[in-house]
Amino acid sequence: YVPSSPNGPQIGLSEFEDEIQQAIMDNSADVLSLSFGGAEIDLASYILGPNNVYNNNGFGPTEFAALAAEGIATFVSSGDSGAQGCAHFSFGSTASGNCVEYPASDASVTAVGGVTTPLDNAGRFVGPLTAWGLQTQSGFSGTGGGISAYVPAPAWQTGAGVASGLRNLPDVSLEADQNTGVATIVNASYGFTGSGAYGGTSVAAPETAAMWALLLSACKQTPA
C-alpha cells in the first residue's frame, strides 16, 4: 500500500523488505514487531520455493529463519479480519474465502492475535477474556486466525485443539479490541491530537514485543 501523497511513507508489504534485510545485516536488535500482512495466496511466490513447493527456502521463510538464527524474536500481527484474511484487506486480490495472513503464518515468527479485555475504571475484570471479534464490533473486525495453506506445523505446535499438519495461528493473544482497549494520547503536528482508544492486532503485536523486551532486559540484569 502506498499513500496517495507522493511524499508520504510507504507502508507494510511495499516497505518491509529493506528493513528486514537491514535487521539481518546489522544483527543488533533483540526484538522486532511487524504490523502488516497479506493473504497467503497473494504471497505464494514469496513463501514457496522452487517449483512452488514449500521447502523452507522461499524468500520469506529464508529471511525470517535468518532472524531467528541470530536470536532476534519477531512478533507479527495476525490480522484484523478474523479467518477472512483473503476477503477484507484485499487491495485488488482475487482471493476469496477463509485464509490466514503472511508473514504471521511464517514458522519462524510469533503470530499475535487479539482478545477483548473487559475492565472497569479501576482495572478490575468485569467479565472473561474472550477472542476479539464480532461480540463487540461489527463487520470483519476480529483477531486473525486459522490454518496456513502452505507452512507445515512447527514441531512445538502440539496439544489439544491444534489441527495437525499445517501451521496454526495465532500463537499468543493480547488486548486488541478498541472498545476495551488501549488508551492512547496523540500529540502529532500532522493531524489528530488528543486521546482515544485504539485496537487491532497491530496493537497486540507491539504489546507482546514490549513484554519480551522487558523480559530480556531483566535477564541481562540478573547475575549468572
Side-chain angles (χ1 to χ4, degrees), residues 10 12 15-24 32 34 36:
Q10 293 187 336
E15 176 72 0
F16 83 101
E17 188 58 54
D18 290 343
E19 296 173 348
I20 290 179
Q21 289 291 318
Q22 189 71 51
I24 294 170
L32 294 180
L34 310 181
F36 56 82

Side-chain angles (χ1 to χ4, degrees), residues 107-217:
S108 297
V109 309
T110 299
V112 184
V115 295
T116 292
T117 310
L119 301 174
D120 65 15
N121 289 335
R124 297 172 297 199
F125 279 105
V126 294
L129 285 171
T130 56
W132 168 48
L134 300 182
Q135 74 272 29
T136 59
Q137 291 181 250
S138 60
F140 287 104
S141 294
T143 186
I147 302 173
S148 172
Y150 306 118
V151 182
W156 47 263
Q157 195 167 66
T158 60
V162 176
S164 62
L166 293 167
R167 171 98 161 93
N168 288 217
L169 61 151
D171 300 309
V172 297
S173 295
L174 280 180
E175 170 58 43
D177 188 336
Q178 70 179 27
N179 289 345
T180 64
V182 181
T184 304
I185 297 176
V186 180
N187 181 11
S189 60
Y190 58 82
F192 174 79
T193 59
S195 61
Y198 291 85
T201 56
S202 290
V203 167
E207 284 178 327
T208 312
M211 292 173 65
W212 186 247
L214 290 172
L215 178 61
L216 292 178
S217 178

Side-chain angles (χ1 to χ4, degrees), residues 43-96:
L43 298 173
S45 62
Y46 184 74
I47 301 169
L48 302 178
N51 301 318
N52 289 324
V53 175
Y54 184 89
N55 50 18
N56 289 317
N57 64 354
F59 196 76
T62 299
E63 284 188 316
F64 289 108
L67 291 172
E70 292 177 351
I72 300 172
T74 304
F75 298 87
V76 183
S77 58
S78 65
D80 298 344
S81 306
Q84 296 175 309
C86 288
H88 190 26
F89 296 111
S90 58
F91 298 119
S93 168
T94 58
S96 62

